[in-house]
Amino acid sequence: QQIEVSNLLTLSRYNETIKDFEDLFILNSSTLNLNQLVQSQHSQLSFGSLFITLTLLNPTQLDAKVYRCTVTGDNANVANVSLFAYKEVEYERNSTALIEEIRRLKKDENVCQCCLKKDDRSDTSPSSKIQFSGSSEIITEQIEPLTLKCLFKVPNQDPKETSTLQSLFILHETNGVIAYVNKGQPVVIITRGVPSKNVKGKIYVNEPEDSYLQVTWSNLKFSDSGKYFCEAHVKYSGGRTDKLTEMLTITVKSPTIDELVKVLQKVVTQIEEDKDRIQENQQNIKSMKKDLDRNVLGIKRDIDSTKQNIENFSSDVDSTLKIMKESVDTNTQNISKVQENLKTMVANISTALIEVKNQVNEVEKFHQKNFKPPTSCSNLEMYSLEEREIVTLASGLKVMCDTKTDGGGWII
């Protein structure tokens, strides 16, 4: 099978104890995020999207193992395809190698003597870009806290190849990763039992600030002794990556009798202060309880009074509702009687109107039957009450008569 797109590169080493391969490095090919699972002091590591290179500067017989390279990726037909390659490393000891080992130890001794003088370190060395410091190299077990700070100094950029810090790690040689922070990540990720408030860190990009990662924790145990590493993963503009490492040796020692006595004195003093505060708080609580009891008693009296008022009000409301109901019933009866009377009155009025209408009709019929047109204006007062009246005489002449002047009877 072939892999068209590589997702993960894994470098492993065979472990005789577990009878299986133990992963040393896992690289995400797309993000170039490298996870280092096993620490090695005298080693160099470089990696890219398609390779991981591990160089052991001073290999020992323990490094003579079978190594495995695993590539995991996808092709057009299958996803998560894994391909393996194995390499067995053999160890040979001879006099030349022994001499070289002695020279190396001598060189390391000189380096250790020089590394105590910070002024002698050259800024051109890659490791000079990072500084790793601790609050103390010797920590008293369960008493003193430990603060480790990993600092990546702002580098002088090479115009031909710029570099960008990708991540900072603080690790222990046996306990593994303690904390780390990645570029563009606002919160430090913690993988060890350290309270988040005691971890600080930030990677600055395009800012004149030194990136850093700082961890503080208390109650250290003897197992926390050993080598601590500060790692800086740097990516260059040409695609090359690099890892810079600094180391500190921290010793956690058992407390002496004098130290325990001092701590005990502090504890006793703190207990006495806490005891005084507790007594003061108890007295305050008693006073608050008395005030609370008085307030509760007053509230209870108010509640009883309010309850009685509510009962009285409820009784008054019931009485008022009863009276209103009786009034409504009485008014309803009265309204019914009024409605009946109105119906009777309307019926009587209707009958009277009918009779009046009949009488009017009879009068009109009689008038029409017996009506004779006037012959002159002299007898017009029997036909009209108007001062001026237009009438048609019996002769057919249409005139206006004056019915008032000098007794009326005049033609105008």
Side-chain angles (χ1 to χ4, degrees):
Q1 291 183 342
Q2 293 183 349
I3 293 179
E4 297 177 358
V5 179
S6 174
N7 297 327
L8 292 177
L9 289 177
T10 305
L11 181 60
S12 310
R13 180 172 59 190
Y14 190 78
N15 189 319
E16 295 289 347
T17 303
I18 62 176
K19 302 299 182 182
D20 198 358
F21 282 90
E22 179 182 19
D23 293 339
L24 304 178
F25 304 94
I26 300 177
L27 173 66
N28 188 315
S29 301
S30 59
T31 63
L32 292 180
N33 185 16
L34 180 70
N35 188 8
Q36 183 173 353
L37 305 177
V38 178
Q39 297 300 316
S40 178
Q41 180 179 358
H42 301 289
S43 65
Q44 290 182 351
L45 181 69
S46 61
F47 59 91
S49 60
L50 299 176
F51 72 94
I52 299 176
T53 301
L54 173 64
T55 303
L56 301 178
L57 302 179
N58 301 297
T60 65
Q61 189 172 359
L62 297 176
D63 296 316
K65 306 285 185 181
V66 177
Y67 291 80
R68 181 181 69 184
C69 176
T70 305
V71 182
T72 303
D74 307 326
N75 58 31
N77 299 321
V78 184
N80 292 328
V81 178
S82 295
L83 300 180
F84 305 93
Y86 299 88
K87 179 67 176 180
E88 182 177 2
V89 177
E90 298 180 353
Y91 181 80
E92 294 182 358
R93 179 179 291 277
N94 53 41
S95 58
T96 303
L98 183 59
I99 293 173
E100 291 296 329
E101 180 69 10
I102 294 173
R103 290 177 179 175
R104 182 189 66 79
L105 293 175
K106 184 65 176 177
K107 181 179 179 181
D108 287 347
E109 181 181 358
N110 294 333
V111 170
C112 291
Q113 291 175 354
C114 293
C115 68
L116 296 177
K117 300 179 181 179
K118 295 184 178 180
D119 295 338
D120 293 339
R121 298 176 64 178
S122 173
D123 289 339
T124 59
S125 172
S127 61
S128 66
K129 295 180 181 179
I130 61 172
Q131 294 180 357
F132 194 29
S133 60
S135 56
S136 177
E137 294 183 355
I138 300 176
I139 302 296
T140 304
E141 186 178 18
Q142 299 292 335
I143 295 179
E144 294 180 319
L146 173 63
T147 298
L148 297 177
K149 185 172 184 179
C150 178
L151 182 70
F152 182 82
K153 301 177 67 176
V154 178
N156 295 324
Q157 297 288 1
D158 185 350
K160 296 181 180 179
E161 186 179 42
T162 59
S163 62
T164 304
L165 178 63
Q166 302 296 313
S167 57
L168 284 175
F169 286 78
I170 293 180
L171 312 97
H172 185 262
E173 61 178 341
T174 56
N175 296 332
V177 178
I178 297 174
Y180 67 93
V181 60
N182 293 327
K183 183 183 71 172
Q185 176 183 300
V187 180
V188 177
I189 298 176
I190 305 166
T191 57
R192 192 181 186 275
V194 181
S196 59
K197 65 179 181 179
N198 295 337
V199 181
K200 301 177 182 178
K202 185 174 182 180
I203 292 180
Y204 293 94
V205 180
N206 299 326
E207 296 182 37
E209 295 285 344
D210 293 336
S211 302
Y212 73 98
L213 177 61
Q214 179 176 301
V215 181
T216 301
W217 70 99
S218 306
N219 302 322
L220 275 78
K221 302 182 291 295
F222 182 76
S223 59
D224 293 316
S225 298
K227 296 180 178 63
Y228 287 82
F229 299 89
C230 165
E231 286 188 1
H233 294 262
V234 182
K235 183 178 180 181
Y236 294 89
S237 57
R240 180 173 61 90
T241 59
D242 196 6
K243 182 185 74 171
L244 308 178
T245 305
E246 282 289 313
M247 185 194 73
L248 284 177
T249 300
I250 302 297
T251 302
V252 180
K253 68 179 185 68
S254 299
T256 63
I257 298 298
D258 292 339
E259 290 173 336
L260 290 176
V261 169
K262 291 180 181 179
V263 172
L264 184 59
Q265 289 175 346
K266 291 182 180 179
V267 171
V268 170
T269 303
Q270 186 66 40
I271 290 175
E272 292 297 330
E273 293 177 355
D274 292 342
K275 184 178 178 181
D276 293 338
R277 282 196 294 269
I278 290 173
Q279 291 177 351
E280 182 180 355
N281 291 335
Q282 288 177 344
Q283 186 63 37
N284 293 334
I285 290 173
K286 289 181 180 179
S287 300
M288 292 173 63
K289 187 176 183 300
K290 290 181 180 179
D291 294 339
L292 183 61
D293 291 340
R294 286 195 295 268
N295 293 334
V296 169
L297 184 60
I299 292 172
K300 184 178 179 181
R301 286 197 296 265
D302 293 340
I303 290 175
D304 293 338
S305 176
T306 303
K307 182 179 179 181
Q308 185 63 42
N309 293 334
I310 291 174
E311 290 177 353
N312 295 336
F313 179 75
S314 177
S315 178
D316 294 340
V317 169
D318 291 339
S319 300
T320 303
L321 289 176
K322 184 177 180 181
I323 294 172
M324 291 177 64
K325 186 176 183 301
E326 293 175 353
S327 299
V328 169
D329 293 339
T330 302
N331 292 333
T332 301
Q333 294 175 359
N334 293 334
I335 290 172
S336 298
K337 291 179 180 179
V338 169
Q339 287 178 344
E340 292 178 358
N341 293 333
L342 287 175
K343 288 180 181 179
T344 303
M345 291 175 63
V346 169
N348 293 335
I349 291 172
S350 297
T351 303
L353 288 175
I354 292 172
E355 292 179 355
V356 170
K357 183 178 180 181
N358 292 333
Q359 292 176 2
V360 169
N361 291 334
E362 291 294 332
V363 170
E364 288 180 350
K365 289 179 181 179
F366 177 80
H367 180 71
Q368 291 176 358
K369 183 178 180 181
N370 298 298
F371 176 74
K372 293 181 179 181
T375 56
S376 66
C377 291
S378 59
N379 57 354
L380 187 62
E381 63 273 6
M382 61 179 296
Y383 299 100
S384 176
L385 298 177
E386 298 292 334
E387 293 182 0
R388 301 285 189 273
E389 182 73 22
I390 298 175
V391 296
T392 302
L393 300 178
S395 61
L397 180 64
K398 191 174 184 179
V399 297
M400 178 179 287
C401 298
D402 181 355
T403 62
K404 299 298 179 182
T405 304
D406 294 335
W410 304 97
I411 296 176
I412 298 175

